[in-house]
Amino acid sequence: MSRIVVVGAGMGAMAVAARLARAGHRVTVLERSGTHGGAVGRAERDGFAFDTGPGLLYFPAVWRDLFIKTGRVELAGCVDLARVDPAVEHRFTDGTAVRLPAGLGGVRQALDAAFGGGAGARWAELLGRARETWEATRRPLMEEPLTTPVSARLTGEGDPYPARRGVLRRRPATLAALAAQELRDPRLAALLTGLVQDYGCDPERVPPSAAVLAYIEQTFGTWYPAGGMRALADAVHRRCLDRGVEFAFGTAAARLLSRDGRAAGVELADGRRLPADSVVWSAAGVGAPPSGSSRFTLLLALRGARPAGTPHRTLAHADGLTVSVLRPDDPALRPDAEHETAVLSARVPTGTDGPDWSAPAVAARWAERLLSAADAAGLALRERALWHEARTPLDIERQTGVPGGVVPPPAFAGGGGAHLAAATTGRLPGAYRAGALAHPGGGLANAGMSGALAAGLITEGPDWRGSS
């Protein structure tokens, strides 16, 4: 039985911990904060409750597989998951609104009705090629560990995951350019670019292969756990405890220890040393700071019952923003039937491109922008607000430890590996990475896969390349 230390208690970290413990290893998880879940947080006030991180689950098969592989009770027995239908409503300031049904059926008709004949065909053709890209890159990009160092990927030694077969490779350099060229109607293009922004991506920077996100959503659906996303984090934590994983909260790891050229444990922030046969780093603090965008989020407590027929998820396109509005029909999130919750969020730049979130009134100005965008799209939330709370990138940084509060995007094919996350293997034998900062990148599905990949390498050896 090997001693394994996992740094961080986010979703990817718990995914690897549960699998390793199930394989018979002694696993200790170190977490600098006082709770599990990482970015999957929860805020509560006056009987209202809100998801403060991801609000929906995409590609739930990743988490179903975790529960199948680590115990007798499957995910459905631990979390009540429901498919969101309609999948999303898009609203524009010109009064245009379109609801896309869950699954493939009816999408073309809905788009034709909203944007005119031919819109559905253009959307279907683009997503058809996105499907080919997904099928060509799904296994190497999502289901196999990445062991090529970052330096090798970016210095001409080959692209491990190209946009194969030229499916989306010979198109414009960015997703935004692809959407404008092929979808033509700016509103139809906004459906695609707004969707990838919901994943923390800048459509002006990510490659055309990012269109696979729209294909994945439309094909595999969006899902919501009763009680909010925190219910999923709690279920994964319970599974870890059931498998004998030990958690040390309020315990920060400072650096990786080595001996004889391989990982030998972790030094804690207080100077203590914790020996280990293998270390899985699933937190910020190792390697170059991540680049990307963050999110500004507004938690709204609303007076009045949730109107019948209100979609769970709306993307409001207004004021140069795409604002995600989540309004779950979940009694667990509200004090009574005469109130409602809403979570508004928008992608914001970080670093020198972004606002100084420590400056007075910046958060208030952004709160006003999100409320105004929602009003311009006809949602009329401001007039019902009892109160609101803002969460800035500084809050995300404090919660996750990621510099700048960056929300790591999923990995994408092409670009010589420039859009990939850090490799599954660390710089030393016996060191591994998991979580949103590791291959295959950000998002709950990807984080869950990162845990499966790291566990596979540890339990099966360095030549393991994923389950068949």
Side-chain angles (χ1 to χ4, degrees), residues 58-82:
Y58 309 99
F59 212 46
V62 171
W63 298 99
R64 292 189 182 113
D65 181 70
L66 173 73
F67 278 77
I68 289 172
K69 299 290 177 56
T70 60
R72 294 181 179 178
V73 182
E74 298 185 5
L75 178 62
C78 302
V79 179
D80 182 12
L81 275 181

Side-chain angles (χ1 to χ4, degrees), residues 131-440:
R131 174 184 59 79
E132 295 176 39
T133 294
W134 169 249
E135 291 176 348
T137 60
R138 170 177 173 171
R139 179 164 176 78
L141 188 61
M142 281 284 290
E143 300 174 359
E144 296 179 354
L146 178 61
T147 57
T148 307
V150 174
S151 59
R153 297 204 305 266
L154 301 181
T155 55
E157 296 186 22
D159 183 347
Y161 309 125
R164 299 182 181 185
R165 303 177 188 167
V167 176
L168 289 172
R169 192 175 188 177
R170 294 189 297 272
R171 302 292 167 178
T174 68
L175 181 81
L178 175 76
Q181 177 177 300
E182 300 206 9
L183 297 177
R184 299 197 283 278
D185 186 317
R187 297 167 301 174
L188 185 59
L191 266 62
L192 183 59
T193 58
L195 181 148
V196 302
Q197 289 186 65
D198 225 14
Y199 287 79
C201 302
D202 182 350
E204 299 287 349
R205 296 184 178 181
V206 295
S209 59
V212 299
L213 296 176
Y215 168 75
I216 291 170
E217 275 200 24
Q218 193 166 292
T219 303
F220 303 108
T222 54
W223 300 77
Y224 176 77
M229 294 301 296
R230 188 66 185 178
L232 176 63
D234 291 343
V236 177
H237 179 241
R238 287 194 299 270
R239 177 54 53 91
C240 287
L241 295 177
D242 290 344
R243 298 278 68 82
V245 175
E246 298 177 1
F247 286 82
F249 293 108
T251 305
R255 67 184 182 95
L256 181 72
L257 297 174
S258 63
R259 184 174 58 249
D260 300 328
R262 65 170 288 116
V266 170
E267 182 176 312
L268 305 182
D270 60 11
R272 289 180 295 151
R273 295 190 168 197
L274 187 62
D277 299 299
S278 297
V279 175
V280 182
W281 203 282
S282 186
V286 170
S291 60
S293 305
S294 187
R295 300 196 69 76
F296 178 81
T297 301
L298 205 59
L299 311 178
L300 285 179
L302 302 174
R303 63 172 62 87
R306 182 178 188 272
T310 298
H312 186 121
R313 177 192 183 202
T314 299
L315 294 184
H317 305 274
D319 188 29
L321 292 175
T322 295
V323 178
S324 170
V325 183
L326 298 180
R327 301 169 69 180
D329 187 9
D330 189 342
L333 304 186
R334 58 192 181 230
D336 52 52
E338 297 306 313
H339 293 85
E340 183 189 4
T341 63
V343 177
L344 281 61
S345 62
R347 187 191 70 83
V348 293
T350 59
T352 57
D353 295 332
D356 178 5
W357 294 104
S358 64
V362 171
R365 287 199 296 271
W366 272 87
E368 177 62 26
R369 282 195 70 184
L370 266 62
L371 287 170
S372 295
D375 284 349
L379 295 180
L381 299 178
R382 185 198 304 267
E383 63 192 35
R384 296 177 52 207
L386 289 168
W387 50 261
H388 67 257
E389 288 187 3
R391 292 182 57 82
T392 73
L394 286 181
D395 296 311
I396 297 175
E397 180 176 350
R398 284 191 287 266
Q399 180 180 354
T400 65
V402 179
V406 168
V407 177
F412 299 115
H419 301 285
L420 300 179
T424 312
T425 49
R427 60 182 178 83
L428 294 174
Y432 305 87
R433 299 185 183 94
L437 297 174
H439 175 74

Side-chain angles (χ1 to χ4, degrees), residues 85-104:
D85 191 7
V88 61
E89 179 180 60
H90 293 264
R91 298 178 70 99
F92 298 86
T93 56
D94 66 357
T96 302
V98 56
R99 291 189 179 185
L100 301 185
L104 301 176

